[in-house]
Amino acid sequence: MTEEMDPLAPQRERERVHLAVVLGRAILDRLTAMGMAYYYKRHERDWMETRVQRIKFSDVFVGPHAIFYRVDVRTLPRYVKAMDLVKEEVAHDLSLTVHRRVTVEENVRSGLWIVVHLRDDSGLPRMYPFQQLLAETKPSARLPFPIGRTASGPLVLDLSDNATPHWLIGGSTGMGKSTFLRAALAYLLKFARVPVEVKIVDLKKVDFAEWSRIPNVDVVTELDEAMDLIRWAAEEMERRLNMMKGRARDIVAWNKGRKNPIPWIVIAIDELATLTLDDGFKKEALTLLALIAQKARAPGIHLLAATQRPSVDVIPGTIKANFQARIAFSTATEVDSRVIIDTGEAARLFIPGRLVARYSDQTVFAQAPYIDDGDLEEVIRDLQAKSEHTPLHVDREAVRIAVEQLGGRLDAALIYEALGGQVSLRDVQAAVRRLAYAGQVEYRGMKYRVLRRPYRLQRLSLDGADEEGAGAGAREDEEAAAIAEAAEEIDLDILTPQ
């Protein structure tokens, strides 16, 4: 189509010229920051005024697929040589600055050129909206985990698959790790075909703040709470393995035919470096994470660990060896890329959201899905609407035996273990949460309070002054009424006081 036939051709030309100006300024500023400039003072008396001699462009050519900047080699700053510009790390640094592929080309006749390539030959989009992902996919996996848009179409894997139970995610700051986790977890919760609970370690405290509104999602924002979660995950893994010993090989076989299956658990750690670099928790965190990655696939516990510091201090060999599935976003150096995926390909991505995934001896390039606040709010509302309370139905004789074995104690973890997984731990915790008072059992005059995180249970003593006089009688009536109401609601009347 000629320019006379295309009415938008002048507008596109103006946009390319404006882009050339913006990118040219960014390149010059980055070259100056890299030390390719000369700082001087015109006079000795000008001690407060420092001047700078920068690299200059003599010509700029704007093409449909690339922008060419010719470096004026005659006015190069002092101590800056033309050979300094043709180094590979210079082109790589400029590529990260403009989020496009940049090359430095030297021609004997025309001089030295900095070329910004506008055309992406990978066949991947620069952005993959979450709504487009929903329109293009119909997942059938138990725990669908979207990687993104590849050259051949959308790629969605299954976390419950033996080849991809745990994922290690790394990349530079601002390249899309947290956004990818938000989109992937929203997709997983929306289309999961099995009961699943998600635990999120958000040590940045802002990326997953609204996720706490989802009933089966717990968000942890403090370091000590994150360690409590990891300890609980290790204990839950061992409890499930002991429960399945001699009965089932994995959670799929255990849940088959059961009315109340135990849920899958997905733990997402947004910043692994905060855990592994803390002097107080480093050794314990690395040990527990390696143990969970080794043994947690069969009992249905999966890890998603992301970090913006892909170094050997953050990702030691024990962690890397147990995370066979890995994702690398754009990294600052090839060394960081090799730490994650064993190759330097992530150092040449440059575009935010562009990733390299390695799993099952495969290497896949993709554009990660992007979810905005509006789409996320819609997903949260849908999940809240689906989380209607269903009454807990438990075999009465099994519960009676479990409570007798425990000496009458209402401990969620112990009841869950005594029932042998007949009901999920979440349902048992809901029962304990409904039975707010435990005065009819072993601890007379004590009150149990279940915190929002189910892996932490505190027992608080009642105020001694309230136990005296008329206040004690009123409290006992209140306890009996609450117990009777809760027992009737969840069909556990064998626990009511006699």
Side-chain angles (χ1 to χ4, degrees):
M1 181 180 293
T2 62
E3 184 174 344
E4 291 77 8
M5 298 176 60
D6 186 5
L8 298 179
Q11 180 180 353
R12 295 194 183 97
E13 183 66 23
R14 288 193 298 269
E15 291 176 353
R16 285 196 294 266
V17 171
H18 176 71
L19 180 62
V21 174
V22 173
L23 295 182
R25 291 174 179 173
I27 290 174
L28 291 178
D29 291 342
R30 186 55 191 166
L31 289 174
T32 302
M34 294 172 63
M36 295 190 179
Y38 176 65
Y39 297 87
Y40 67 96
K41 298 178 182 178
R42 179 170 294 183
H43 302 290
E44 291 295 334
R45 291 175 297 180
D46 297 339
W47 58 275
M48 294 186 63
E49 182 180 359
T50 301
R51 303 176 182 270
V52 58
Q53 182 185 4
R54 306 173 62 180
I55 294 176
K56 297 180 180 180
F57 296 145
S58 58
D59 289 304
V60 179
F61 296 95
V62 181
H65 304 307
I67 301 176
F68 301 83
Y69 301 90
R70 179 154 55 186
V71 179
D72 190 353
V73 295
R74 297 172 299 177
T75 61
L76 286 177
R78 185 180 298 184
Y79 307 122
V80 177
K81 300 179 181 179
M83 296 302 297
D84 297 335
L85 291 171
V86 300
K87 295 180 179 179
E88 184 178 354
E89 54 267 24
V90 174
H92 180 265
D93 204 313
L94 295 179
S95 299
L96 294 176
T97 301
V98 300
H99 300 308
R100 290 169 175 83
R101 189 167 68 92
V102 176
T103 58
V104 181
E105 302 176 3
E106 187 178 14
N107 188 285
V108 176
R109 295 183 178 181
S110 59
L112 187 65
W113 297 85
I114 296 178
V115 184
V116 179
H117 300 267
L118 303 179
R119 184 174 181 177
D120 188 4
D121 298 330
S122 63
L124 302 177
R126 295 187 68 88
M127 181 176 289
Y128 189 38
F130 188 74
Q131 291 296 332
Q132 184 178 351
L133 172 65
L134 298 181
E136 294 180 350
T137 57
K138 294 182 179 180
S140 59
R142 298 187 187 93
L143 298 175
F145 185 67
I147 301 300
R149 185 68 160 78
T150 66
S152 58
L155 176 62
V156 179
L157 301 177
D158 190 357
L159 277 184
S160 64
D161 187 7
N162 294 340
T164 57
H166 314 293
W167 285 84
L168 180 64
I169 305 168
S172 301
T173 304
M175 286 301 164
K177 299 180 301 300
S178 297
T179 303
F180 167 74
L181 274 179
R182 286 157 58 93
L185 291 176
Y187 190 89
L188 184 147
L189 288 169
K190 185 177 180 67
F191 294 106
R193 303 186 58 171
V194 293
V196 58
E197 296 181 359
V198 176
K199 316 291 183 183
I200 301 176
V201 178
D202 181 21
L203 298 178
K204 300 177 184 177
K205 303 183 180 181
V206 293
D207 290 329
F208 295 89
E210 63 274 21
W211 288 68
S212 58
R213 294 157 46 198
I214 304 176
N216 56 332
V217 175
D218 291 320
V219 181
V220 171
T221 58
E222 300 297 335
L223 185 58
D224 57 343
E225 296 174 350
M227 282 305 305
D228 287 342
L229 173 59
I230 295 175
R231 296 186 190 103
W232 171 83
E235 294 173 358
E236 176 67 11
M237 176 191 67
E238 296 295 342
R239 184 183 298 114
R240 291 189 177 191
L241 289 174
N242 293 332
M243 182 178 64
M244 297 177 185
K245 184 178 180 181
R247 303 178 184 177
R249 297 188 60 182
D250 54 21
I251 188 173
V252 177
W254 178 268
N255 286 339
K256 188 175 182 180
R258 292 182 181 270
K259 185 177 181 180
N260 294 289
I262 59 176
W264 271 255
I265 298 174
V266 177
I267 301 176
I269 304 175
D270 190 20
E271 185 45 64
L272 183 62
T274 308
L275 284 173
T276 57
L277 294 182
D278 186 271
D279 294 335
F281 298 125
K282 178 177 181 179
K283 185 176 181 180
E284 183 183 8
L286 291 177
T287 302
L288 291 178
L289 288 175
L291 182 65
I292 294 172
Q294 289 173 1
K295 303 167 58 178
R297 179 199 60 79
I301 302 177
H302 305 277
L303 288 177
L304 306 175
T307 180
Q308 62 185 11
R309 292 189 56 182
S311 61
V312 293
D313 295 334
V314 178
I315 309 175
T318 55
I319 297 295
K320 187 175 177 180
N322 293 288
F323 284 82
Q324 296 299 323
R326 307 169 197 160
I327 291 176
F329 289 82
S330 179
T331 58
T333 63
E334 291 191 4
V335 176
D336 293 343
S337 176
R338 292 190 184 97
V339 170
I340 308 171
I341 56 174
D342 299 325
T343 65
E345 295 169 328
R348 295 182 287 274
L349 294 178
F350 312 128
I351 301 174
R354 191 65 52 86
L355 61 86
V356 183
R358 293 201 67 185
Y359 62 95
S360 302
D361 297 330
Q362 301 183 47
T363 301
V364 177
F365 290 85
Q367 182 68 26
Y370 171 80
I371 184 170
D372 57 22
D373 293 339
D375 293 337
L376 180 59
E377 184 65 26
E378 182 179 352
V379 172
I380 292 177
R381 286 198 301 266
D382 293 343
L383 294 173
Q384 287 177 330
K386 294 179 181 178
S387 63
E388 298 180 356
H389 174 71
T390 56
L392 176 63
H393 297 287
V394 188
D395 182 76
R396 304 168 67 85
E397 186 62 25
V399 175
R400 185 185 300 276
I401 295 174
V403 176
E404 289 178 356
Q405 291 176 349
L406 299 175
R409 287 189 296 166
L410 289 180
D411 189 312
L414 295 178
I415 293 177
Y416 168 75
E417 185 175 358
L419 292 177
Q422 181 186 4
V423 293
S424 67
L425 179 60
R426 181 185 175 190
D427 290 336
V428 174
Q429 290 160 351
V432 176
R433 193 175 292 115
R434 292 295 302 163
L435 291 173
Y437 296 99
Q440 81 282 7
V441 292
E442 179 180 350
Y443 301 105
R444 188 64 181 173
M446 307 297 289
K447 177 173 129 180
Y448 279 83
R449 180 166 66 91
V450 182
L451 301 183
R452 192 182 185 286
R453 288 173 297 280
Y455 46 84
R456 181 178 292 183
L457 184 66
Q458 290 184 351
R459 191 186 72 193
L460 303 179
S461 298
L462 296 177
D463 189 359
D466 293 340
E467 295 288 342
E468 300 177 358
R475 181 172 294 278
E476 290 179 359
D477 295 341
E478 183 182 355
E479 291 178 2
I483 293 166
E485 178 185 356
E488 180 180 356
E489 202 170 305
I490 63 175
D491 195 21
L492 289 178
D493 57 355
I494 61 172
L495 301 179
T496 55
Q498 302 297 329

